Amino acid sequence: MRQIYLDHAATSPIHPEVLEKMQPIMLESFGNPSSIHTFGREARRILDESRRYLAGTIGATPAEIIFTSGGTEADNLAVIGTALANQHAGKHIITTQIEHHAVLHACRFLEGIGYEVTYLPVDEQGVISINQLKEHLTDQTILVSVMYGNNEVGSIQPINEIAHLLKDHQAFFHTDAVQAYGMAEINVKEMAIDLLSVSAHKINGPKGVGFLYARSGIKLQPSLFGGEQELKRRAGTENVAGIYGFSHASKLALTTREQKTEQYKAFKNEMMSIFEDYNLPYQINGVVDGLPHVFNVYFPKTHIESLLINLDLAGIAASSGSACTAGSVDPSHVLVAMFGKESDRILSSIRFSFGYGTTVEDIHYAAHEIAKIVKRVTAKGNNGGN
């Protein structure tokens, strides 16, 4: 059976070139970069070169890059680390209702130890209001954390406007750019971003590695204690092979960014065209021109679990953007924030996401299969499941 992977926003396959580059590092340059002998110095050279390259991709300096185990740790360090280190200036944080759980759960933790958190709502396109952000800023606000591009619906936030608003305010500005990095042009200096999170496995790099950009001068409370790696901000021997693979994956992603953007837009148009050929009722959640690789679609009178099971049986991997367990579905917090908890969309929407290896032939085949499945499960629903 043909297998088509349309869940790249969840994780992406490692690029063969990245794997090829990593293997000799693991086999030959295995030294601890903190060691002073030849093996250690070689590992340190690879680490420093990778750090320098990755810093350059966002307009940062090498010392401003903190390597982590991925996006979750980077988000946690940004949110909790900044809050704990700067609590003398206030205990108020502003974020949004549609953040990744790595940010939302970090904020919940802070609420439990005495911090106040404001969760900004979004409109039906999944975008916050700058005026509402402005209204909630106080002299106690120390951090504003707003994701660059949403992982479920692809909505892009007004990052430049947020930064401009905070220009003369004490609050630091953090953005989770895990989905946007490699797809959007980012320069942290020009955009006045203080903290930014990135993960390698979203751009065809290895799992278990990411980084947090922290502008020079920002104080962070470390979450790990041990050695003095990462300028005493993140203890633990660095994942040299993973970081090197990350840097190569970044090169591949950035050199093909414009090509991918056009290709993924074409994929969306192809899917919509085929859906329309089948006279299939559907609506886009968010906007079509958000993150190019994310395509979240509402199919009226369907149900997430039935759709996902049937898609999987047809060899198509997609996602609901919500947590599914046997016999129940936890509705997507993103769609709830956009449309309300009573909306049919929260239980009838599927996220398709594109990436390395996805072809127009895959999209053509998948769209036809999706349309057939939606018509079939809708018909069953209309007949009471008989």
Side-chain angles (χ1 to χ4, degrees), residues 296-362:
N296 196 302
V297 186
Y298 164 52
F299 297 109
K301 299 181 181 180
T302 65
H303 193 274
I304 290 171
E305 285 185 315
S306 178
L307 283 177
L308 289 178
I309 291 170
N310 279 277
L311 286 170
D312 189 47
L313 289 172
I316 301 167
S319 171
S320 65
S322 55
C324 298
T325 55
S328 67
V329 174
D330 183 16
S332 158
H333 70 286
V334 174
L335 296 181
V336 169
M338 291 169 64
F339 302 108
K341 61 183 180 181
E342 302 302 322
S343 173
D344 291 338
R345 289 180 185 248
I346 65 176
L347 294 179
S348 302
S349 297
I350 298 291
R351 180 190 68 187
F352 306 102
S353 48
F354 320 123
Y356 174 74
T358 309
T359 66
V360 68
E361 290 79 17
D362 288 339

Side-chain angles (χ1 to χ4, degrees), residues 10-333:
T11 192
S12 63
I14 192 165
H15 196 290
E17 289 185 27
V18 172
L19 180 60
E20 184 181 355
K21 293 283 186 179
M22 288 176 62
Q23 286 179 326
I25 306 298
M26 291 185 283
L27 293 171
E28 301 163 14
S29 303
F30 52 82
N32 188 320
S34 296
S35 299
I36 63 172
H37 48 58
T38 301
F39 292 91
R41 292 199 305 274
E42 174 61 11
R44 171 60 60 182
R45 181 190 66 78
I46 295 167
L47 182 64
D48 289 346
E49 286 183 359
S50 300
R51 190 191 308 276
R52 188 159 48 247
Y53 173 78
L54 288 165
T57 66
I58 58 169
T61 65
E64 294 173 315
I65 299 299
I66 305 167
F67 286 119
T68 67
S69 62
T72 292
E73 186 189 345
D75 281 343
N76 274 235
L77 182 56
V79 174
I80 298 174
T82 302
L84 295 180
N86 296 279
Q87 58 186 304
H88 60 279
K91 285 192 169 185
H92 179 230
I93 296 163
I94 298 176
T95 188
T96 82
Q97 295 177 4
I98 66 167
E99 297 297 306
H100 190 277
H101 284 115
V103 168
L104 293 177
H105 290 172
C107 287
R108 297 295 186 200
F109 165 77
L110 290 170
E111 285 182 297
I113 58 173
Y115 286 76
E116 178 188 355
V117 181
T118 298
Y119 299 89
L120 296 175
V122 295
D123 60 21
E124 289 194 351
Q125 281 69 52
V127 180
I128 67 163
S129 162
I130 290 293
N131 288 334
Q132 284 189 328
L133 172 56
K134 185 176 182 179
E135 289 171 6
H136 286 287
L137 278 173
T138 74
D139 59 3
Q140 293 296 300
T141 308
I142 56 172
L143 177 67
V144 173
S145 181
V146 178
M147 72 192 330
Y148 198 117
N150 186 263
N151 54 300
E152 291 192 26
V153 297
S155 56
I156 297 175
Q157 300 300 335
I159 299 300
N160 289 317
E161 291 89 337
I162 296 169
H164 181 75
L165 177 63
L166 298 177
K167 182 179 178 182
D168 298 318
H169 195 280
Q170 69 165 358
F172 297 113
F173 178 29
H174 166 247
T175 186
D176 176 338
V178 166
Q179 291 293 337
Y181 182 79
M183 294 305 307
E185 188 171 352
I186 300 172
N187 187 300
V188 291
K189 299 298 193 248
E190 292 177 359
M191 302 174 78
I193 296 170
D194 299 307
L195 300 138
L196 179 139
S197 306
V198 177
S199 181
H201 77 102
K202 305 295 188 180
I203 59 166
N204 308 114
K207 292 177 177 64
V209 61
F211 71 70
L212 173 66
Y213 155 77
R215 180 175 55 77
S216 179
I218 291 180
K219 293 181 179 179
L220 295 171
Q221 172 64 51
S223 57
L224 297 176
F225 300 91
E228 298 186 352
Q229 292 89 352
E230 301 303 296
L231 297 179
K232 302 182 180 180
R233 298 166 298 184
R234 198 273 188 183
T237 302
E238 292 92 347
N239 177 1
V240 178
I243 290 167
Y244 184 71
F246 187 4
S247 69
H248 193 70
S250 175
K251 291 176 186 176
L252 294 173
L254 295 177
T255 55
T256 58
R257 182 176 60 206
E258 293 183 5
Q259 173 191 340
K260 288 185 300 183
T261 297
E262 293 306 312
Q263 184 180 47
Y264 299 160
K265 287 180 180 178
F267 288 169
K268 291 181 183 181
N269 289 332
E270 174 73 2
M271 292 186 82
M272 289 189 290
S273 176
I274 292 172
F275 293 164
E276 287 159 12
D277 287 343
Y278 278 82
N279 294 315
L280 198 68
Y282 77 95
Q283 289 177 282
I284 306 304
N285 294 320
V287 292
V288 177
D289 59 352
L291 290 176
H293 67 296
V294 178
F295 188 50
N296 196 302
V297 186
Y298 164 52
F299 297 109
K301 299 181 181 180
T302 65
H303 193 274
I304 290 171
E305 285 185 315
S306 178
L307 283 177
L308 289 178
I309 291 170
N310 279 277
L311 286 170
D312 189 47
L313 289 172
I316 301 167
S319 171
S320 65
S322 55
C324 298
T325 55
S328 67
V329 174
D330 183 16
S332 158
H333 70 286

